[in-house]
Amino acid sequence: MLTVENLSKQFGATQVLDDVSFTLEQGKVMSILGSSGSGKTTLLRCLNGLETPQKGKIIVDGTCIWQTGESMNGRMKDSPFGLVFQGFHLFPQYTALQNVMLAPSLRLKKQKLPAAQYKEQIQQLRQRASQLLERMGLSHRADSYPYQLSGGQQQRVAIARALIMEPQILCFDEPTSALDPELTREVIKVLQQLKEEKTTMIVVTHQMRLAKAISDEVAYMAYGRIWERGPVEEFFQNPKTEKLAAFLASATAHE
C-alpha cells in the first residue's frame, strides 16, 4: 500500500528526516516509537502534505504521489492519507456531528450543485457522519460541543472526522498522549476495532502499551532515521541495536 523512499527534511541547518525508507502492506498497522525530536511527527506531516521534504519519493498503491522537486500544493485535496492530530483540533463552535461533516460539506459547496441535489448530498453526508459517530460509540453525543466531551470522546470524534474522508492510510500522531489511563483504554479499543476492519494505519507514539496492543510491526526512530523495525513481538523481545535496547529500557521504567 505504501512505499517511502529516502525521505529527507531539513529545517534550516537541522536534519529532521534523514533518508527515511519503509514499506507498509495494506491492512497492516505500523507503530513508530521514538523520543521527542526524533522526527516522528515531521514524517507524518510530510506524508500528509503539511510539510514538503527536500528529497525522496512517496508511493501509494503503486502510484507516485510525490517525489523530489515537486510541490506539496494541492496534495491535501485528494490525499490518500488521513491524519488524527495529537491535540484533537476540533472546532469549538461546532457540535461533534458538525465537526465530522465539516470537510466533506465544504467540498460539496465548492461543486456548486443544484439546490435539490446539494440538499440530498448533505442529507447523505449527515447520515454517514451519524453512522461513524455510532461506530465510535458516540451517537448520544452527536449534538455535544467539544467542551462537553472528555478527551477520549474528542479523540474519537477526530477519528470519525478522518474516516469520513475515506483515506487509504490513516495516520495518528500520539493519539493517547493527552489522556489518562481510562480514556487511553477507550481509544486503544477503537484502534483495535479499526485494525480488525483491516484499516491501514501508521501510529506515532511514545507509549509501548499502545504499540503492543495494536501493531503488526514497530519501527524505532532517532535523529531522523529509522534504526530498527520488525514484527511486534520480535521488536520488543529481541532488540538488535544498543540504541533501541536503551530506549525500551527507559520507556519501560517510565511506564
Side-chain angles (χ1 to χ4, degrees):
M1 174 57 75
L2 173 65
T3 300
V4 175
E5 296 181 0
N6 306 114
L7 211 62
S8 296
K9 173 67 177 177
Q10 285 182 264
F11 291 113
T14 304
Q15 189 78 41
V16 183
L17 296 178
D18 185 9
D19 272 339
V20 173
S21 298
F22 65 92
T23 59
L24 180 62
E25 293 182 22
Q26 185 171 358
K28 299 296 184 181
V29 181
M30 182 175 77
S31 289
I32 303 176
L33 292 174
S35 303
S36 296
S38 60
K40 308 185 305 296
T41 294
T42 300
L43 174 59
L44 289 191
R45 291 179 63 84
C46 286
L47 293 177
N48 282 271
L50 300 175
E51 300 284 355
T52 302
Q54 277 83 25
K55 188 181 77 169
K57 185 181 291 187
I58 303 171
I59 301 168
V60 176
D61 200 18
T63 299
C64 180
I65 64 169
W66 183 86
Q67 58 186 339
T68 303
E70 294 181 350
S71 169
M72 284 288 184
N73 292 338
R75 268 280 316 279
M76 295 300 292
K77 181 180 178 182
D78 298 305
S79 175
F81 295 93
L83 178 58
V84 179
F85 295 94
Q86 179 176 353
F88 316 138
H89 289 199
L90 300 180
F91 291 95
Q93 68 271 37
Y94 297 130
T95 65
L97 183 66
Q98 290 168 335
N99 265 281
V100 176
M101 291 179 61
L102 183 60
S105 64
L106 291 174
R107 180 180 289 182
L108 271 177
K109 280 186 179 180
K110 290 182 179 180
Q111 295 179 18
K112 297 182 179 180
L113 300 170
Q117 187 179 354
Y118 175 76
K119 184 177 180 181
E120 180 183 354
Q121 291 287 324
I122 286 291
Q123 185 57 39
Q124 291 176 2
L125 180 59
R126 182 174 289 107
Q127 183 178 359
R128 170 71 174 146
S130 297
Q131 289 171 346
L132 283 170
L133 286 177
E134 182 178 2
R135 184 173 160 192
M136 296 294 115
L138 292 173
S139 55
H140 64 300
R141 288 297 204 171
D143 296 324
S144 298
Y145 290 89
Y147 78 91
Q148 298 172 313
L149 303 174
S150 70
Q153 289 170 335
Q154 289 185 59
Q155 189 64 291
R156 283 182 278 156
V157 173
I159 293 171
R161 181 178 62 182
L163 287 172
I164 202 167
M165 302 303 290
E166 299 182 340
Q168 292 174 271
I169 302 166
L170 192 53
C171 301
F172 295 85
D173 187 11
E174 300 282 6
T176 59
S177 66
L179 307 179
D180 63 33
E182 183 177 351
L183 298 180
T184 293
R185 284 192 289 271
E186 287 182 15
V187 173
I188 287 177
K189 185 176 180 181
V190 171
L191 295 180
Q192 288 173 327
Q193 176 187 337
L194 292 172
K195 179 182 178 180
E196 290 172 2
E197 295 167 359
K198 300 298 182 183
T199 306
T200 308
M201 293 186 281
I202 301 173
V203 181
V204 158
T205 182
H206 65 275
Q207 296 185 344
M208 295 197 300
R209 173 187 169 197
L210 172 62
K212 290 176 180 177
I214 65 168
S215 305
D216 294 295
E217 57 182 336
V218 187
Y220 170 62
M221 280 192 74
Y223 306 107
R225 296 171 53 196
I226 292 179
W227 290 79
E228 196 164 337
R229 175 175 165 233
V232 60
E233 290 186 12
E234 180 182 340
F235 180 90
F236 286 108
Q237 293 178 7
N238 300 301
K240 296 179 175 59
T241 62
E242 290 185 9
K243 196 173 289 292
L244 175 57
F247 172 82
L248 294 178
S250 175
T252 300
H254 286 87
E255 287 194 359

